[in-house]
Amino acid sequence: MAHLEERLKLRPVVYSAIERLKAERHIDDECAYAILRNCAMRRRLPVEQIAAFFLVGSETLSEVG
C-alpha cells in the first residue's frame, strides 16, 4: 500500500514531464505518456523515475519519439 501511495505522490512529476514533452515535440498527451512508458519499460524502471530523470536533464529520451 505504501508503494502505491508513493507513486501517487509522484504523479505531478509525470504530468510535468508529459507537459514538457508535449511542448518540445509538439505531440499530444497520449503520445507523450507512451514515450515515457516505453522508455521506462525498456529500462525496467518506474515511469515516475524516468519522468524525474527527464525533468532534471539526466535523461533525454532521444531514442524514442
Side-chain angles (χ1 to χ4, degrees), residues 18 21-33 35 65:
I18 288 170
L21 276 170
K22 285 171 45 179
E24 288 180 1
R25 298 184 185 198
H26 308 289
I27 56 178
D28 63 10
D29 287 343
E30 289 180 31
C31 189
Y33 184 74
I35 289 170

Side-chain angles (χ1 to χ4, degrees), residues 3-5 7 12 16-17 22-23 27 30 32-34 40 42 45 47-48 51-53 58-59 61-65:
H3 174 68
L4 293 176
E5 288 174 352
R7 289 190 73 182
S16 295
K22 285 171 45 179
I27 56 178
E30 289 180 31
Y33 184 74
R42 263 196 325 282
L45 294 171
V47 170
E48 296 82 3
F53 289 161
S58 63
E59 179 64 51
L61 306 178
S62 59
E63 73 283 355
V64 185

